[in-house]
């Protein structure tokens, strides 16, 4: 080694110091540019959304499947107002740029060839949503009045509430919606969802909206696309397999409200970490379908079936530990402190979305981490909430190879933000 170093410095012996320093500076700059170029080539960028992907179909009150209709997009509205403010030489205020919600809870479900599993998941989800947030549900405290000032939603008690108001006292009813984002599915996922919606009857069928992506974008891309079009005061995404116990949404909502900042921003992360390395089990509902009338008049029937118990697999537990170790190395403190970043059950307050969704780049499995990193950089409160969870057959995740892919994706993602390839507005 000593001999090698001696040979390396021989050409510089007797050379003027300024020349040596200039050579070193040029070499360092060249290496830096090569590294930047390499990261730029490897870093993922979302593809442009097609016009047809900004439409949805639903089931009309007469039971017929609708034609494609324009899909409202809060992000497009914010982008237009931001550009208008910049053209006038002003500064766009993200805090007051968000449109008022039309419903209380939005559910986004990414789905790729899920015709065999999505029906059971929707049965559980709709039962809970209608019971908790449908007409006649009692989810707010008595005498709670909600006001909106300067783009911030809050109650007379200083907490977020579900009874929202437009200007001039026009009040939004408690309500919910489900956005199914078919991620280039080639099976009958879309038909299965629309048939499910038809079975709900005319009163509720239009709460189910189906968005079809022409080409597969990946789970992250489907979730982000759906989140751009939510109309709810809160928005949650959940996997189509129904692995997360949907009734735990109430726990996420309660925790989210508790940590909301003055701008009404918060993120609640469903977590399976409490199941790792323990004898804890999760409840598994047997497949259960009822007519729409029975389902909606007594949603608790869905959870009254005999329950069986299973444990999380050793492989998944091992990979969770390994991935969390990598997170501690590559992510900022608050994100690395989340014990389960990959659980597909995360709740966002509407006010937090403009600080996260427009700045997303990853469309693969690692998108959850980017969401949490963006929340941390925007100083949005994030809370982790233990939930019930089950392993469901038919997963498209190759545990080993996709885990390696997530590790690589995390490294590229972190590098992209570190060197400035990715930036906020």
């Amino acid at each position: 080694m000593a001999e090698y170093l001696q040979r390396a410095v021989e050409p510089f012996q007797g050379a003027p110091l300024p020349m040596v320093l200039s050579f070193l500076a040029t070499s360092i700059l060249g290496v830096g540019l090569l590294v930047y170029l390499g990261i730029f080539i490897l870093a993922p960028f979302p593809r442009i959304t097609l016009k047809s992907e900004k439409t949805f179909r639903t089931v009309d009150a007469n039971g017929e499947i609708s034609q494609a209709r324009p899909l409202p997009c809060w992000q497009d509205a914010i982008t237009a107002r931001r550009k208008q403010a910049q053209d006038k030489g002003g500064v766009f205020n993200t805090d007051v740029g968000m449109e008022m919600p039309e419903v209380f809870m939005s559910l986004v479900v990414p789905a790729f060839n899920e015709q065999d599993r999505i029906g059971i998941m929707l049965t559980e989800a709709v039962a809970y949503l209608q019971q908790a947030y449908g007409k006649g549900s009692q989810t707010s405290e008595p005498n709670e009045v909600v006001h909106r000032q300067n783009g911030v939603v809050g109650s007379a008690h200083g907490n977020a509430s579900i009874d929202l108001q437009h200007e001039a006292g026009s009040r939004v009813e408690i309500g919910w919606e489900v956005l199914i984002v078919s991620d280039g599915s080639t099976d009958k996922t879309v038909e299965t969802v629309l048939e499910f919606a038809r079975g709900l009857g005319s009163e509720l069928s239009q709460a189910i909206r189906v968005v079809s992506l022409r080409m597969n974008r990946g789970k992250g891309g489907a979730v982000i696309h759906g989140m751009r079009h939510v109309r709810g005061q809160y928005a949650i995404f959940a996997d189509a397999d129904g692995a997360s116990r949907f009734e735990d949404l109430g726990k996420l909502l309660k925790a989210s409200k508790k940590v909301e900042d003055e701008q009404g921003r918060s993120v609640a992360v469903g977590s399976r970490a409490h199941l790792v390395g323990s004898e804890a089990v999760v409840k598994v509902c047997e497949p259960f379908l009822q007519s729409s009338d029975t389902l909606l008049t007594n949603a608790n029937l869905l959870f009254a079936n005999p329950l069986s118990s299973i444990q999380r697999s050793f492989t998944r537990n091992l990979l969770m530990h390994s991935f969390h170790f990598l997170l501690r190395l590559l992510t900022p403190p608050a994100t690395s402190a989340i014990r389960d970043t990959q659980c597909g059950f995360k709740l966002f307050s509407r006010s937090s979305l403009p600080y996260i969704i427009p700045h997303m780049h990853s469309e693969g499995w690692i998108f959850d981490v980017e969401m949490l990193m963006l929340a941390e950089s925007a100083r949005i409160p994030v809370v982790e909430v233990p939930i019930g969870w089950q392993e469901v057959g038919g997963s498209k995740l190759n545990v080993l190879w996709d885990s390696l892919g997530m590790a690589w994706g995390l490294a590229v993602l972190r590098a992209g933000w570190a060197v400035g390839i990715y930036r906020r507005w």
Side-chain angles (χ1 to χ4, degrees):
M1 176 63 101
E3 183 179 351
Y4 175 79
L5 291 175
Q6 185 177 1
R7 290 180 180 179
V9 299
E10 280 181 0
F12 300 101
Q13 291 180 350
L17 181 60
M19 182 182 294
V20 174
L21 294 177
S22 177
F23 177 82
L24 290 175
T26 303
S27 300
I28 293 172
L29 179 60
V31 171
L33 288 174
L34 287 175
V35 170
Y36 183 89
L37 181 61
I39 296 173
F40 183 84
I41 293 173
L42 295 172
F45 285 89
R47 70 169 173 82
I48 297 175
T49 302
L50 303 176
K51 185 176 180 180
S52 64
E53 296 172 339
K54 292 189 175 184
T55 63
F56 73 95
R57 286 192 294 166
T58 187
V59 176
D60 290 330
N62 60 8
E64 297 296 322
I65 297 175
S66 71
Q67 296 295 318
R69 297 172 179 170
L71 192 62
C73 182
W74 59 262
Q75 182 173 322
D76 285 351
I78 281 184
T79 301
R81 287 197 291 272
R82 173 177 169 270
K83 185 178 185 305
Q84 185 179 25
Q86 289 178 336
D87 290 344
K88 294 180 179 180
V91 178
F92 178 70
N93 187 353
T94 305
D95 299 341
V96 297
M98 197 67 166
E99 298 173 337
M100 287 290 289
E102 297 179 35
V103 296
F104 177 63
M105 185 64 66
S106 294
L107 166 63
V108 174
V109 183
F112 175 66
N113 292 344
E114 292 287 358
Q115 65 176 24
D116 296 328
R117 304 193 296 177
I118 199 168
I120 296 175
M121 180 270 176
L122 283 174
T123 301
E124 181 183 357
V126 169
Y128 181 82
L129 289 169
Q130 180 61 14
Q131 181 188 50
Y133 314 120
K135 290 182 179 179
S137 61
Q138 193 69 35
T139 53
S140 60
E141 297 185 9
N143 302 320
E144 193 164 36
V145 180
V146 179
H147 306 280
R148 170 174 283 266
Q149 295 179 341
N150 298 325
V152 180
V153 176
S155 72
H157 304 301
N159 298 318
S161 168
I162 62 176
D163 292 325
L164 305 173
Q165 293 180 330
H166 283 289
E167 312 107 341
S170 176
R171 197 162 118 173
V172 176
E173 292 184 357
I174 294 172
W176 54 270
E177 66 172 353
V178 177
L179 273 70
I180 306 296
V181 183
S182 175
D183 191 18
S185 296
T186 56
D187 66 353
K188 294 185 178 180
T189 295
V190 171
E191 292 82 355
T192 300
V193 173
L194 291 172
E195 207 49 49
F196 174 88
R198 180 183 279 128
L200 295 176
S202 59
E203 186 177 355
L204 295 178
S205 61
Q206 295 178 72
I208 310 292
R209 297 183 168 193
V210 180
V211 182
S212 296
L213 303 183
R214 186 178 300 178
M215 297 175 288
N216 181 268
R217 301 188 71 154
K219 178 183 175 182
V223 168
I224 295 163
H225 186 80
M227 285 290 183
R228 291 189 185 116
H229 300 92
V230 295
R231 298 176 295 153
Q233 173 62 22
Y234 291 89
I236 186 168
F237 71 82
D239 292 339
D241 59 4
S244 302
R245 185 172 58 197
F246 202 83
E247 62 183 5
D248 285 340
L249 171 57
K251 294 166 61 177
L252 266 67
L253 179 61
K254 183 177 180 180
S256 178
K257 287 183 175 183
K258 189 174 181 180
V259 301
E260 279 182 359
D261 61 16
E262 294 179 355
Q263 298 163 258
R265 306 179 307 168
S266 62
V267 177
V269 178
S271 175
R272 305 155 296 181
H274 61 294
L275 301 173
V276 179
S278 71
E279 296 301 317
V281 294
V282 292
K283 295 180 178 180
V284 183
C285 279
E286 300 297 332
F288 179 86
L289 293 172
Q290 288 270 349
S291 69
S292 60
D293 291 339
T294 304
L295 172 66
L296 298 175
T297 55
N298 189 4
N300 284 328
L301 285 176
L302 183 63
F303 311 109
N305 281 355
L307 298 173
S308 58
S309 296
I310 61 173
Q311 292 181 317
R312 296 198 74 226
S313 69
F314 170 79
T315 303
R316 284 184 178 271
N317 288 341
L318 176 63
L319 288 172
M320 179 183 283
H321 281 303
S322 302
F323 187 72
H324 189 65
F325 175 74
L326 189 62
L327 283 174
R328 287 199 299 269
L329 295 177
L330 296 179
T331 59
T335 300
S336 64
I338 301 295
R339 298 176 63 200
D340 183 8
T341 60
Q342 301 309 110
C343 181
F345 203 59
K346 293 181 175 65
L347 178 72
F348 301 80
S349 69
R350 187 172 185 82
S351 298
S352 69
L353 294 177
Y355 296 87
I356 299 173
I357 301 302
H359 313 290
M360 291 289 297
H361 296 87
S362 176
E363 297 192 322
W365 296 107
I366 203 65
F367 79 99
D368 303 74
V369 176
E370 187 174 22
M371 281 182 160
L372 295 173
M373 288 170 55
L374 287 166
E376 180 176 357
S377 67
R379 299 184 179 180
I380 297 173
V382 178
V383 59
E384 192 170 10
V385 182
I387 63 169
W389 187 85
Q390 63 186 16
E391 290 193 38
V392 179
S395 173
K396 298 167 186 64
L397 176 71
N398 183 306
V399 177
L400 178 60
W401 289 110
D402 286 329
S403 295
L404 293 174
M406 283 191 287
W408 170 255
L410 176 59
V412 173
L413 179 70
R414 194 69 175 102
W417 281 101
V419 302
I421 292 174
Y422 297 153
R423 298 185 184 186
R424 287 185 175 274
W425 285 341

